[in-house]
Amino acid sequence: MAASMDKVLRFHEMGLDDRILKAIAKMGWSTPTLIQERAIPLALEGKDLLARARTGSGKTAAYAIPLVQRILTSKQTAREQAVRAVVMVPTRELCSQAHKNILELTSSCSWEVKCADVSVQADLDAQRPLLMEKPDIVVGTPSRLLAHLKAQNLTLKDTLEVLVIDEADLVFSYGYENDLKSLLTFLPKIYQAFLMSATLSDEVFALKKLVLHNPVTLKLEESQLPDVDQLTQYHVKCTEADKFLLLFTLLKLRLVRGKTIIFVNDIDRCYRLKLFLEQFSIPSCALNSELPVNTRTHIVDQFNTGLYDIVVASDETSLATDKKGVGKKKQKKSKSSKGKGREYGVSRGIDFQNVMNIINFDFPPTVKAYIHRVGRTARGDTSGSALSLVSEKEMEPLAKVEKYLVKDDGSSVIKPYQFKMSEIEGFRYRCTDAMRAVTRVAVREARVMEIKREIFNSKTLKTYFDENPRDMQLLRHDKILHPAKVHSDLRHVPEYLVPKALKNKAQGASFSAPEAKKRKSKHKGPRESRFAKKKRRNAADPLKSFKFKKS
């Protein structure tokens, strides 16, 4: 039964188990979000759901809470342990995230409800003991789950009660259509199903016909992005060279503070930007599809805990989608592009926490990609900002986004960023010097160096970190690559280059030379000779200045 619009339905009014309410209170959730308020009561009634809600609206908890509740209820009369629920997610990063969220919800009943993530890239035989224990909930990608079903490590024909497909609009577009159709043959005829999605695309309706039985469709009447008072969006029209100049000054003069994700459209630009920021001693870490999955997950986890402030993320899947089209069935994909498309997408679903700023260094090619990128900030009750740097070639995608995202009065929600380029002209020569050092050869060497380093860490240190989990925090991903020549003079900003408007707002921040250089010139006045210095030191020494007078 859906809640009325006047009264907000609280968690304790939904008939949930006390152990679930205790876990919810521990996570600090005071009131349910709109999707949770509408979906949870319907799911508890046993109805199939097709739910569309914007990014960051709490879709994971909307299906996880009734899922755990159903398992707790079933186990009161169950005679044996069995796999009762399957959560299907398109990527391994999202599987890890969903698994973590379910563990948090079952923290007060961890002995009663067991959850296993089988998406980890390991041998099927190595994961067989895990599935032999018959965890109540199994999380995995469609291809991984199908492999376990074919290997008979997992049986669902007689025990499955709930099937969840999260980020449903990505399942077909990531190439899982055949895997999913094969997987459905291993399921019983009757089960409850949830489809959760940020958009209701053709792929979602195709999944609806395959999986759901007389579902309730929840299409919440809310904008796909937070309100203007929670999310502020800006754009700056500039040349390609000015993008680097603007980004450097925004970060170095601390006009952008807090956790920041900088989006680019391909991997080369990802490393080019990282090397460019290294010239000015601005630490950042790269996040792209070339890195191992464990590394990508580790980067996101450490970013969420506050170890890094800046992530340069390549969102190349949105570009590939725009060029090739999503809904076409007959496509010839290379093996490399298939692997990237099926396993990766930074702007989709990954739970970056407490992100203050999104910077679109390369403007996304589609409206959908823009919404998902900007949706990484202003999640839940937090506020955030998004800044897009738009070159002349990117004016057409900007116009489409402005036309799509409009206020009630018809004006665009993306406002022009008031920034005087004349005030930062003094930084241009520094930006040019840094760009000269970031050559194609340097970018290629940086890519190879990063991949070698991360693969080495993944293979060599895996067993060590299993035994010493605390030392995992010491493995940083924002280390300097240094394949390009670094100009030491670019590290600090001279006082004379700081704009007048910012000198009062610096609040004691040092933009000039380091303190070590300032300490050198302590003595003021005319320069002393060597003999004068010696005489002054002797006068200050009581053993040398003492004079004995005869009585």
Side-chain angles (χ1 to χ4, degrees):
M1 178 176 177
S4 63
M5 294 299 292
D6 299 331
K7 183 184 177 182
V8 177
L9 192 65
R10 306 286 180 176
F11 285 116
H12 66 272
E13 298 172 335
M14 296 179 181
L16 299 174
D17 191 282
D18 289 341
R19 290 164 290 184
I20 300 177
L21 293 174
K22 185 178 179 181
I24 290 173
K26 192 186 297 182
M27 290 186 285
W29 297 351
S30 56
T31 56
T33 62
L34 184 59
I35 181 64
Q36 293 166 2
E37 183 187 352
R38 304 290 177 83
I40 292 174
L42 292 170
L44 292 175
E45 292 178 9
K47 296 180 180 179
D48 286 9
L49 289 181
L50 171 58
R52 183 204 75 83
R54 64 175 172 83
T55 302
S57 60
K59 293 192 297 294
T60 304
Y63 70 75
I65 290 174
L67 180 64
V68 175
Q69 176 67 35
R70 174 156 183 164
I71 290 173
L72 288 173
T73 305
S74 298
K75 296 194 81 169
Q76 292 177 359
T77 57
R79 296 182 179 179
E80 60 181 9
Q81 181 69 20
V83 178
R84 290 180 168 82
V86 168
V87 179
M88 203 179 299
V89 196
T91 68
R92 282 175 277 181
E93 288 95 340
L94 295 179
C95 286
S96 175
Q97 180 182 305
H99 179 243
K100 182 180 177 182
N101 292 337
I102 293 172
L103 289 180
E104 288 176 346
L105 281 170
T106 57
S107 59
S108 299
C109 53
S110 55
W111 294 106
E112 290 91 345
V113 181
K114 298 178 181 178
C115 181
D117 179 12
V118 297
S119 65
V120 181
Q121 195 65 26
D123 294 334
L124 296 178
D125 294 336
Q127 290 183 338
R128 183 175 293 172
L130 179 67
L131 293 174
M132 285 180 66
E133 296 179 2
K134 296 182 180 180
D136 300 282
I137 306 170
V138 176
V139 183
T141 60
S143 59
R144 193 69 177 172
L145 290 168
L146 179 61
H148 279 294
L149 286 167
K150 289 182 176 179
Q152 297 183 348
N153 297 343
L154 180 66
T155 55
L156 303 172
K157 203 73 174 178
D158 301 321
T159 61
L160 184 72
E161 296 181 14
V162 183
L163 173 66
V164 179
I165 301 180
D166 198 3
E167 298 291 343
D169 53 339
L170 293 183
V171 171
F172 280 2
S173 60
Y174 274 29
Y176 289 121
E177 183 175 1
N178 294 330
D179 292 336
L180 183 63
K181 289 179 179 178
S182 300
L183 189 147
L184 292 176
T185 61
F186 291 89
L187 306 184
K189 292 183 178 181
I190 299 175
Y191 54 85
Q192 186 180 11
F194 306 146
L195 289 188
M196 317 300 289
S197 177
T199 58
L200 292 181
S201 59
D202 294 337
E203 290 86 353
V204 176
F205 288 111
L207 266 175
K208 175 185 174 183
K209 295 177 181 178
L210 288 173
V211 176
L212 301 180
H213 308 282
N214 298 323
V216 176
T217 302
L218 289 177
K219 187 178 179 181
L220 302 184
E221 296 298 328
E222 60 176 358
S223 61
Q224 292 188 324
L225 288 175
D227 297 332
V228 179
D229 55 347
Q230 185 180 357
L231 172 65
T232 53
Q233 302 174 63
Y234 302 98
H235 74 268
V236 178
K237 297 177 182 178
C238 57
T239 62
E240 192 65 30
D242 285 347
K243 284 187 177 185
F244 290 90
L245 175 61
L246 262 171
L247 184 65
F248 155 57
T249 51
L250 288 173
L251 295 177
K252 198 66 178 177
L253 297 180
R254 298 165 192 173
L255 294 174
V256 173
R257 299 189 181 190
K259 288 185 179 180
T260 304
I261 302 177
I262 305 172
F263 279 106
V264 293
N265 283 346
D266 59 67
I267 299 174
D268 261 6
R269 295 273 281 183
C270 181
Y271 285 103
R272 182 176 295 277
L273 199 53
K274 177 177 169 59
L275 294 178
F276 173 77
L277 295 177
E278 282 181 6
Q279 294 288 325
F280 305 102
S281 296
I282 300 175
S284 64
C285 54
L287 187 61
N288 56 74
S289 59
E290 282 189 339
L291 298 175
V293 178
N294 294 337
T295 299
R296 298 199 299 256
T297 305
H298 189 229
I299 289 173
V300 174
D301 289 342
Q302 289 191 329
F303 179 75
N304 289 338
T305 56
L307 196 61
Y308 316 125
D309 281 335
I310 301 174
V311 169
V312 183
S314 64
D315 186 29
E316 64 269 19
T317 52
S318 65
L319 194 65
T321 300
D322 182 57
K323 289 179 180 179
K324 297 178 182 179
V326 176
K328 298 177 183 178
K329 294 183 179 179
K330 295 181 180 179
Q331 291 183 13
K332 292 184 179 179
K333 295 183 179 180
S334 63
K335 292 182 180 179
S336 59
S337 64
K338 183 180 178 182
K340 287 181 184 178
R342 288 176 59 145
E343 292 294 341
Y344 191 68
V346 177
S347 68
R348 291 302 309 268
I350 298 178
D351 190 17
F352 293 103
Q353 297 174 6
N354 303 319
V355 178
M356 296 292 294
N357 312 289
I358 295 294
I359 299 178
N360 286 315
F361 191 80
D362 293 334
F363 198 80
T366 63
V367 176
K368 186 177 178 181
Y370 178 86
I371 290 172
H372 287 304
R373 285 188 188 183
V374 175
R376 299 302 98 205
T377 186
R379 298 171 72 89
D381 297 329
T382 61
S383 59
S385 63
L387 174 64
S388 299
L389 309 182
V390 187
S391 64
E392 189 176 350
K393 296 179 180 178
E394 298 166 329
M395 295 301 293
E396 186 178 348
L398 173 64
K400 291 179 180 178
V401 173
E402 286 183 321
K403 186 178 179 180
Y404 186 81
L405 301 175
V406 292
K407 298 180 184 177
D408 296 334
D409 58 0
S411 61
S412 176
V413 298
I414 308 176
K415 300 177 290 186
Y417 188 63
Q418 303 298 332
F419 195 89
K420 295 181 180 179
M421 293 294 294
S422 58
E423 292 189 354
I424 60 170
E425 278 299 320
F427 293 99
R428 189 174 294 277
Y429 78 94
R430 290 172 159 259
C431 181
T432 305
D433 286 346
M435 288 302 298
R436 286 198 191 102
V438 185
T439 60
R440 288 185 179 181
V441 176
V443 171
R444 186 170 65 247
E445 289 179 358
R447 288 179 67 169
V448 174
M449 188 185 303
E450 181 88 340
I451 294 167
K452 284 182 177 179
R453 179 195 293 169
E454 299 303 338
I455 291 176
F456 175 78
N457 289 340
S458 297
K459 288 184 177 180
T460 308
L461 304 180
K462 183 179 178 182
T463 54
Y464 175 78
F465 286 133
D466 288 341
E467 298 172 359
N468 304 274
R470 289 186 179 181
D471 291 351
M472 190 70 168
Q473 295 297 326
L474 301 176
L475 183 62
R476 297 180 65 97
H477 302 276
D478 60 346
K479 292 181 179 178
I480 297 174
L481 294 174
H482 274 337
K485 181 182 178 182
V486 177
H487 298 274
S488 58
D489 58 315
L490 299 178
R491 180 189 298 264
H492 305 285
V493 180
E495 195 72 32
Y496 66 86
L497 283 179
V498 181
K500 293 181 180 179
L502 291 179
K503 287 183 179 179
N504 296 330
K505 297 179 182 179
Q507 298 178 353
S510 175
F511 291 114
S512 55
E515 293 297 326
K517 292 185 178 180
K518 292 181 180 179
R519 290 172 187 163
K520 288 184 179 180
S521 57
K522 280 187 177 179
H523 183 72
K524 295 183 179 180
R527 189 173 180 179
E528 287 183 306
S529 65
R530 185 177 55 172
F531 299 105
K533 281 183 181 180
K534 186 176 181 181
K535 186 177 179 182
R536 183 165 53 82
R537 283 197 299 267
N538 291 342
D541 189 348
L543 295 177
K544 293 183 179 180
S545 61
F546 176 76
K547 292 181 180 180
F548 175 74
K549 293 182 180 180
K550 293 181 179 181
S551 58

